[in-house]
Amino acid sequence: MIINIPTPADYYTSGKELLNFAWDTTAKLLVEFDQAGFYGFDEAEISDPYWAAAKRTLTTALTIVQQAVELIIKGRIVEISPYILISDPPSQWPSPYKEGGIDFEAFRTVDAQDLIRVHDTFAQAPFGTHFVQKFHSLRRVRNVVMHSAGKNVSVQVAEVIDNALYMHKSLFPEESWFQVRREFLRRDPGSHLGSGEYATNTTCWEAEIVVRLLEPSQVTAYLGIDKKQRKYLCPACLDDANTDAEHFERKLAVLAPKAPGSTNLYCPVCNHTHTVVREDCAEVNCEGNVISGDNRCLTCSSWQ
Ligand SMILES: [Zn+2]
Ligand SMILES: [Zn+2]
């Protein structure tokens, strides 16, 4: 008998935790850099030395994205059967006569390089070609980092962000990464010291930087919004954000569909479409005409 058989959820949870770990370290660098101007630095001048100093963090983050993906693929395999994860031949299995059964952990499981093959052999549908290419190129980077101690690897911050978002979207197409990220921030150790109250502020800030950093096609694929479309405040995020110390003006929500009379506003952080009213804002200096259900202008945030 085998005991402690892992469930798909065990792997998905651990995989997402690693993804969040990689994201957290990378996003902190981006958020810090985003404040360069505020602290009186010339962004163009400090960009090269800043990102050169971040090299080790970025390569490590990318290898952690890869580990996260491996765990999630294991979860996909366990959906089919946990037993096909066992890679040893029967002659090398632990004795089946041990009292209390054999812990699943006592078995050697399939190597990372074979995960896709095992999945694609037994699954109803194989992984897509692009996903497999990205998976293998991440593995190559990881191997170089491990073998050359990362001396010859140069990873751009956009590459880490792109890989994390691509992998999350491919493996959990129904989810929005930023919604997941906000939940992680709400449960962060720092939330016991009050940082959880800023989960929406931080998530929206990160999302805003990511929209600036990535190409329009990537923004559409990962956030479900058009980079070039006019953005509005999300009524739910505006409500949820902590505005004690700062004015909340992170605009990420878009009208869906993009049309003059559209009353649906999609927010990638909520991963939800909110109903809005199309009326001109009462503020003279504001040209906004998208108003929340509780009468707030979603362009300038003033109450109507
Ligand atoms: Zn929102
Ligand atoms: Zn307004």
Side-chain angles (χ1 to χ4, degrees):
M1 187 181 72
I2 299 179
I3 56 164
N4 291 331
I5 298 169
T7 64
D10 293 336
Y11 284 111
Y12 296 157
T13 305
S14 319
K16 282 187 199 171
E17 279 168 2
L18 282 190
L19 210 50
N20 180 60
F21 186 86
W23 183 273
D24 195 68
T25 45
T26 311
K28 279 195 174 122
L29 289 170
L30 283 166
V31 163
E32 186 181 55
F33 186 73
D34 202 39
Q35 298 166 88
F38 179 80
Y39 289 113
F41 294 96
D42 179 352
E43 255 188 43
E45 215 169 89
I46 64 154
S47 181
D48 285 350
Y50 183 88
W51 293 111
K55 187 181 152 175
R56 167 62 64 193
T57 307
L58 294 177
T59 50
T60 306
L62 200 59
T63 64
I64 292 169
V65 170
Q66 169 65 10
Q67 289 176 51
V69 174
E70 286 172 13
L71 283 170
I72 297 164
I73 296 176
K74 282 186 178 175
R76 286 285 197 87
I77 295 172
V78 170
E79 298 254 16
I80 305 161
S81 163
Y83 304 120
I84 50 175
L85 264 186
I86 296 173
S87 65
D88 286 330
S91 57
Q92 285 174 24
W93 290 351
S95 165
Y97 308 112
K98 205 180 138 219
E99 218 173 291
I102 311 165
D103 199 300
F104 189 86
E105 276 189 4
F107 291 96
R108 203 184 130 95
T109 56
V110 171
D111 282 340
Q113 63 190 24
D114 297 324
L115 284 173
I116 300 270
R117 191 180 175 84
V118 171
H119 173 273
D120 287 359
T121 303
F122 294 98
Q124 296 276 348
F127 284 118
T129 324
H130 193 225
F131 176 84
V132 175
Q133 275 169 3
K134 265 210 135 80
F135 176 82
H136 288 305
S137 82
L138 262 184
R139 279 201 63 240
R140 273 193 297 278
V141 175
R142 182 197 174 178
N143 289 343
V144 174
V145 170
M146 303 310 275
H147 296 140
S148 72
K151 263 168 76 181
N152 307 318
V153 192
S154 168
V155 173
Q156 300 296 314
V157 65
E159 218 177 314
V160 181
I161 294 294
D162 171 61
N163 273 288
L165 292 177
Y166 175 84
M167 288 302 176
H168 178 264
K169 197 42 132 189
S170 303
L171 294 161
F172 303 100
E174 302 302 316
E175 294 181 1
S176 161
W177 168 253
F178 293 95
Q179 190 183 24
V180 175
R181 169 67 176 153
R182 179 160 65 178
E183 283 314 307
F184 272 112
L185 284 170
R186 281 180 176 147
R187 288 184 273 124
D188 193 81
S191 65
H192 296 286
L193 301 165
S195 77
E197 289 174 32
Y198 290 91
T200 292
N201 303 56
T202 308
T203 311
C204 292
W205 190 352
E206 290 175 2
E208 208 183 71
I209 296 171
V210 166
V211 170
R212 268 187 267 139
L213 183 73
L214 298 183
E215 298 297 326
S217 61
Q218 294 170 309
V219 172
T220 305
Y222 309 148
L223 285 92
I225 58 172
D226 181 347
K227 179 166 175 162
K228 294 178 193 130
Q229 209 179 323
R230 187 188 294 272
K231 312 277 185 308
Y232 298 93
L233 293 157
C234 158
C237 288
L238 182 59
D239 212 35
D240 195 62
N242 190 314
T243 50
D244 291 348
E246 62 187 49
H247 189 55
F248 183 79
E249 47 193 24
R250 311 270 171 216
K251 291 179 182 162
L252 292 152
V254 294
L255 288 167
K258 182 184 170 185
S262 190
T263 54
N264 289 326
L265 193 71
Y266 174 76
C267 167
V269 175
C270 300
N271 194 23
H272 184 78
T273 302
H274 305 280
T275 306
V276 292
V277 181
R278 301 302 301 272
E279 267 169 25
D280 288 341
C281 173
E283 287 288 320
V284 259
N285 296 326
C286 177
E287 292 188 351
N289 63 355
V290 176
I291 311 292
S292 72
D294 61 350
N295 270 327
R296 238 173 143 179
C297 171
L298 299 175
T299 302
C300 73
S301 83
S302 66
W303 295 98
Q304 301 297 293

mmCIF file of all heavy atoms in Angstrom, residues 30 41 99 148 165 177 184 228 233-234 242 259 267 269 273 277 281:
data_model
loop_
_atom_site.group_PDB
_atom_site.id
_atom_site.type_symbol
_atom_site.label_atom_id
_atom_site.label_comp_id
_atom_site.label_asym_id
_atom_site.label_seq_id
_atom_site.Cartn_x
_atom_site.Cartn_y
_atom_site.Cartn_z
ATOM 1 N N LEU A 30 11.290 46.081 -9.735
ATOM 2 C CA LEU A 30 10.601 46.980 -10.666
ATOM 3 C C LEU A 30 9.944 48.152 -9.933
ATOM 4 O O LEU A 30 10.020 49.300 -10.376
ATOM 5 C CB LEU A 30 9.538 46.206 -11.457
ATOM 6 C CG LEU A 30 10.059 45.326 -12.595
ATOM 7 C CD1 LEU A 30 8.972 44.368 -13.067
ATOM 8 C CD2 LEU A 30 10.550 46.188 -13.760
ATOM 9 N N PHE A 41 16.545 60.638 -8.982
ATOM 10 C CA PHE A 41 17.554 60.020 -9.854
ATOM 11 C C PHE A 41 17.108 60.094 -11.310
ATOM 12 O O PHE A 41 15.913 60.085 -11.601
ATOM 13 C CB PHE A 41 17.763 58.551 -9.482
ATOM 14 C CG PHE A 41 18.373 58.361 -8.127
ATOM 15 C CD1 PHE A 41 17.566 58.120 -7.016
ATOM 16 C CD2 PHE A 41 19.748 58.434 -7.953
ATOM 17 C CE1 PHE A 41 18.128 57.959 -5.755
ATOM 18 C CE2 PHE A 41 20.310 58.275 -6.696
ATOM 19 C CZ PHE A 41 19.497 58.029 -5.589
ATOM 20 N N GLU A 99 5.591 -2.267 7.331
ATOM 21 C CA GLU A 99 4.342 -2.003 8.039
ATOM 22 C C GLU A 99 3.907 -0.545 7.862
ATOM 23 O O GLU A 99 4.746 0.353 7.849
ATOM 24 C CB GLU A 99 4.529 -2.287 9.528
ATOM 25 C CG GLU A 99 3.300 -2.940 10.162
ATOM 26 C CD GLU A 99 3.592 -3.350 11.586
ATOM 27 O OE1 GLU A 99 4.396 -4.300 11.771
ATOM 28 O OE2 GLU A 99 3.035 -2.718 12.482
ATOM 29 N N SER A 148 27.336 26.917 -14.712
ATOM 30 C CA SER A 148 28.371 27.946 -14.821
ATOM 31 C C SER A 148 28.238 28.939 -13.671
ATOM 32 O O SER A 148 28.816 30.003 -13.696
ATOM 33 C CB SER A 148 28.241 28.681 -16.156
ATOM 34 O OG SER A 148 27.096 29.515 -16.130
ATOM 35 N N LEU A 165 4.404 35.114 -16.499
ATOM 36 C CA LEU A 165 3.023 35.336 -16.945
ATOM 37 C C LEU A 165 2.611 34.340 -18.020
ATOM 38 O O LEU A 165 1.481 33.847 -18.030
ATOM 39 C CB LEU A 165 2.844 36.778 -17.459
ATOM 40 C CG LEU A 165 2.942 37.866 -16.383
ATOM 41 C CD1 LEU A 165 2.831 39.244 -17.022
ATOM 42 C CD2 LEU A 165 1.863 37.702 -15.327
ATOM 43 N N TRP A 177 -3.254 36.339 -13.393
ATOM 44 C CA TRP A 177 -2.133 36.284 -12.443
ATOM 45 C C TRP A 177 -2.266 37.338 -11.351
ATOM 46 O O TRP A 177 -1.978 37.104 -10.177
ATOM 47 C CB TRP A 177 -0.772 36.439 -13.146
ATOM 48 C CG TRP A 177 0.302 36.662 -12.118
ATOM 49 C CD1 TRP A 177 0.972 37.814 -11.845
ATOM 50 C CD2 TRP A 177 0.760 35.698 -11.148
ATOM 51 N NE1 TRP A 177 1.834 37.638 -10.785
ATOM 52 C CE2 TRP A 177 1.710 36.348 -10.329
ATOM 53 C CE3 TRP A 177 0.438 34.358 -10.882
ATOM 54 C CZ2 TRP A 177 2.358 35.701 -9.276
ATOM 55 C CZ3 TRP A 177 1.089 33.716 -9.824
ATOM 56 C CH2 TRP A 177 2.034 34.390 -9.043
ATOM 57 N N PHE A 184 -1.884 36.359 -2.660
ATOM 58 C CA PHE A 184 -0.611 36.071 -2.001
ATOM 59 C C PHE A 184 -0.203 37.249 -1.106
ATOM 60 O O PHE A 184 0.256 37.049 0.011
ATOM 61 C CB PHE A 184 0.499 35.806 -3.033
ATOM 62 C CG PHE A 184 0.576 34.356 -3.438
ATOM 63 C CD1 PHE A 184 0.238 33.957 -4.722
ATOM 64 C CD2 PHE A 184 0.984 33.388 -2.532
ATOM 65 C CE1 PHE A 184 0.312 32.621 -5.100
ATOM 66 C CE2 PHE A 184 1.058 32.048 -2.900
ATOM 67 C CZ PHE A 184 0.722 31.666 -4.184
ATOM 68 N N LYS A 228 -3.122 49.787 -25.743
ATOM 69 C CA LYS A 228 -3.336 51.133 -26.290
ATOM 70 C C LYS A 228 -4.711 51.722 -25.943
ATOM 71 O O LYS A 228 -4.957 52.897 -26.175
ATOM 72 C CB LYS A 228 -3.159 51.089 -27.812
ATOM 73 C CG LYS A 228 -1.728 50.771 -28.195
ATOM 74 C CD LYS A 228 -1.566 50.687 -29.701
ATOM 75 C CE LYS A 228 -0.230 50.065 -30.058
ATOM 76 N NZ LYS A 228 -0.370 48.990 -31.031
ATOM 77 N N LEU A 233 -10.007 53.725 -13.723
ATOM 78 C CA LEU A 233 -9.899 53.144 -12.387
ATOM 79 C C LEU A 233 -10.938 52.031 -12.305
ATOM 80 O O LEU A 233 -12.008 52.134 -12.906
ATOM 81 C CB LEU A 233 -10.222 54.216 -11.333
ATOM 82 C CG LEU A 233 -9.227 55.365 -11.209
ATOM 83 C CD1 LEU A 233 -9.910 56.579 -10.593
ATOM 84 C CD2 LEU A 233 -8.032 54.938 -10.374
ATOM 85 N N CYS A 234 -10.632 50.988 -11.569
ATOM 86 C CA CYS A 234 -11.621 49.924 -11.381
ATOM 87 C C CYS A 234 -12.405 50.278 -10.115
ATOM 88 O O CYS A 234 -11.804 50.586 -9.084
ATOM 89 C CB CYS A 234 -10.894 48.598 -11.216
ATOM 90 S SG CYS A 234 -11.894 47.357 -10.387
ATOM 91 N N ASN A 242 -6.001 51.074 -0.203
ATOM 92 C CA ASN A 242 -5.797 51.870 0.995
ATOM 93 C C ASN A 242 -5.431 53.286 0.559
ATOM 94 O O ASN A 242 -4.412 53.491 -0.099
ATOM 95 C CB ASN A 242 -4.678 51.260 1.838
ATOM 96 C CG ASN A 242 -4.593 51.901 3.202
ATOM 97 O OD1 ASN A 242 -4.631 53.122 3.313
ATOM 98 N ND2 ASN A 242 -4.486 51.089 4.231
ATOM 99 N N ALA A 259 -16.292 50.425 -27.052
ATOM 100 C CA ALA A 259 -17.343 51.075 -27.845
ATOM 101 C C ALA A 259 -17.852 52.302 -27.079
ATOM 102 O O ALA A 259 -17.783 52.327 -25.843
ATOM 103 C CB ALA A 259 -18.484 50.094 -28.086
ATOM 104 N N CYS A 267 -11.531 44.513 -15.347
ATOM 105 C CA CYS A 267 -10.324 44.793 -14.551
ATOM 106 C C CYS A 267 -9.497 43.510 -14.428
ATOM 107 O O CYS A 267 -9.999 42.496 -13.943
ATOM 108 C CB CYS A 267 -10.708 45.302 -13.166
ATOM 109 S SG CYS A 267 -9.305 45.313 -12.017
ATOM 110 N N VAL A 269 -7.081 42.894 -12.413
ATOM 111 C CA VAL A 269 -6.713 42.568 -11.033
ATOM 112 C C VAL A 269 -7.876 41.839 -10.343
ATOM 113 O O VAL A 269 -7.685 40.863 -9.627
ATOM 114 C CB VAL A 269 -6.284 43.832 -10.249
ATOM 115 C CG1 VAL A 269 -6.008 43.512 -8.790
ATOM 116 C CG2 VAL A 269 -5.045 44.442 -10.893
ATOM 117 N N THR A 273 -15.729 41.711 -14.724
ATOM 118 C CA THR A 273 -16.285 42.814 -15.509
ATOM 119 C C THR A 273 -17.322 43.544 -14.662
ATOM 120 O O THR A 273 -18.292 42.946 -14.207
ATOM 121 C CB THR A 273 -16.907 42.272 -16.801
ATOM 122 O OG1 THR A 273 -15.893 41.564 -17.524
ATOM 123 C CG2 THR A 273 -17.442 43.392 -17.672
ATOM 124 N N VAL A 277 -21.789 53.309 -15.560
ATOM 125 C CA VAL A 277 -22.786 54.208 -16.154
ATOM 126 C C VAL A 277 -22.031 55.175 -17.061
ATOM 127 O O VAL A 277 -20.961 55.665 -16.691
ATOM 128 C CB VAL A 277 -23.537 54.986 -15.036
ATOM 129 C CG1 VAL A 277 -24.586 55.904 -15.632
ATOM 130 C CG2 VAL A 277 -24.148 54.011 -14.036
ATOM 131 N N CYS A 281 -18.630 63.376 -16.374
ATOM 132 C CA CYS A 281 -18.226 63.683 -14.998
ATOM 133 C C CYS A 281 -18.629 65.121 -14.660
ATOM 134 O O CYS A 281 -18.585 66.013 -15.509
ATOM 135 C CB CYS A 281 -16.710 63.518 -14.871
ATOM 136 S SG CYS A 281 -16.038 64.057 -13.301
#
